[in-house]
Amino acid sequence: MGKEPFIVGNWKMNLTLEEGVEFAKSLRNNLHGKNKTISGICPPFIFLKDISRVLEGSNICVGAQNIHSEKNGAYTGEISALMVKEAGCTHVLIGHSERRHLFGEIDSFINAKIKTALSVNLKPIFCIGETLTEREEGRTEYVVKNQLKNGLLGIDNNYVEELVIAYEPVWAIGTGKTASPEQANEVHSFIRGFLTDGYGKDIANGVYIQYGGSVKPENTRELLAQPEIDGLLVGGASIKLEAFLKIIDAASIQ
Ligand code: 13P
C-alpha cells in the first residue's frame, strides 16, 4: 500500500521486568537513527511505565495488551485506558484471539473497548481472525466480516482511520504454521473491501492492516511484499531481540 510497514511485538505474558527493560534499551540503541520502519512493543502492564521511559523520544511505540471498556469503577483486577496512557502507551491491543478464546471476550465488549480507547486518544490495534474449523468450513470471510461489523459498530468514520487492524488467523498463532502470503493477502483484501464499502476508499487505504501468526525473520519479506499487508504483529519472535531486529530490518528494506 506504499506505507511504511508498522511492526509490533506482542510480548504476551513473558520476560521479567529486568529482561524487558534491557530488551527495550537494546532495541532503542540498535534502531537509533538507522531505521524508518515504525515499530512498537506491547509488554505486560506492569512493565509499561519503565519501558515507556526507556523508549521516550524514540520512534518505537509502546502499547498495552488489553484495557477494560469502562473508564473507571469497581472492576477488581482490571486496568483502564487512561491508566495505560498515563504509563506511556500510545496503542492498545484489543480483541486478541487469546482474549476472545481463553477469556471469553465477545464482540460487544471489544466494541466498547475500542470506543473507550479512541475516546482517550489511544490507538486500538483491533485483532480479528478465524479458527481452523471456521477456515475448513469455508467461513473465514463470514467470521472476519462479523468481527469487523460488530467491533466497529457505532464508530465514526474519522475514528476508523485511526485504527490498526491485525488479521491473525487463530490456527497460525504460536503454531509455527504461517498463513501463506497469498492466503493472508486474500483476507486482507477482503478486510480492505469491507472498509471501502463502509467508510470510503480514502479511509480504507489509510487503515493499517497487519498480519500476525508465526511471523519470523524468514517470512517477513514475503509477507510484506503482498500489496494489502501493511505491517506485522509478532508474538514469539518479538521476545527474542535478534529475531525481532531481523524482522524490523527485513521490513525496512521492503
Ligand atoms: P506468534 O507470532 O507467536 O504466532 O503470535 C502471534 C500473535 O498472537 C501476536 O499477537
Side-chain angles (χ1 to χ4, degrees):
M1 299 303 301
K3 304 187 192 81
E4 280 299 330
F6 184 31
I7 311 297
V8 173
N10 173 10
W11 286 2
K12 307 191 180 182
M13 197 173 71
N14 291 299
L15 305 182
T16 64
L17 174 61
E18 200 183 327
E19 287 166 346
V21 167
E22 279 314 304
F23 187 113
K25 283 184 185 162
S26 308
L27 192 63
R28 181 176 183 145
N29 291 340
N30 274 283
L31 297 183
H32 182 69
K34 80 169 199 206
N35 205 302
K36 279 199 302 185
T37 306
I38 325 160
S39 57
I41 46 176
C42 300
F45 286 128
I46 197 90
F47 304 177
L48 290 173
K49 204 164 178 179
D50 292 281
I51 289 188
S52 298
R53 270 202 203 112
V54 172
L55 298 179
E56 209 177 330
S58 74
N59 60 352
I60 308 160
C61 343
V62 180
Q65 295 174 19
N66 187 26
I67 47 165
H68 193 268
S69 59
E70 293 297 326
K71 288 195 172 161
N72 60 276
Y75 300 98
T76 302
E78 292 295 316
I79 308 276
S80 76
L82 277 174
M83 290 170 189
V84 302
K85 235 196 128 183
E86 200 176 45
C89 290
T90 50
H91 290 74
V92 57
L93 301 179
I94 295 182
H96 190 279
S97 74
E98 284 148 20
R99 302 294 323 163
R100 292 176 189 264
H101 296 288
L102 302 174
F103 301 100
E105 289 196 9
I106 55 171
D107 286 344
S108 54
F109 191 35
I110 291 165
N111 174 247
K113 289 184 188 207
I114 295 177
K115 286 178 177 159
T116 301
L118 289 168
S119 76
V120 301
N121 206 16
L122 200 56
K123 280 182 192 280
I125 301 178
F126 170 33
C127 306
I128 55 174
E130 81 289 0
T131 63
L132 184 59
T133 314
E134 288 162 345
R135 174 163 282 263
E136 285 173 351
E137 289 173 359
R139 296 196 290 129
T140 299
E141 291 189 353
Y142 173 84
V143 168
V144 164
K145 185 178 177 175
N146 272 311
Q147 289 172 336
L148 284 168
K149 203 171 73 187
N150 298 331
L152 300 181
L153 204 68
I155 294 171
D156 278 0
N157 284 20
N158 53 328
Y159 280 130
V160 170
E161 209 163 7
E162 297 293 305
L163 292 175
V164 177
I165 293 178
Y167 168 60
E168 298 203 298
V170 180
W171 49 272
I173 296 180
T175 58
K177 257 195 244 173
T178 324
S180 72
E182 295 74 22
Q183 265 175 330
N185 194 61
E186 203 178 331
V187 182
H188 281 229
S189 291
F190 178 78
I191 297 168
R192 190 88 60 198
F194 174 92
L195 296 172
T196 307
D197 292 347
Y199 309 97
K201 210 168 175 211
D202 287 350
I203 289 178
N205 286 341
V207 172
Y208 267 85
I209 309 179
Q210 293 177 322
Y211 166 80
S214 299
V215 171
K216 32 189 184 272
E218 299 75 33
N219 57 24
T220 296
R221 291 192 67 181
E222 52 178 13
L223 284 163
L224 289 174
Q226 294 294 323
E228 298 294 351
I229 301 184
D230 304 318
L232 302 168
L233 184 55
V234 188
S238 76
I239 53 171
K240 297 177 196 121
L241 182 66
E242 204 185 313
F244 195 51
L245 283 170
K246 277 188 185 159
I247 290 173
I248 295 173
D249 232 35
S252 66
I253 49 174
Q254 201 54 47

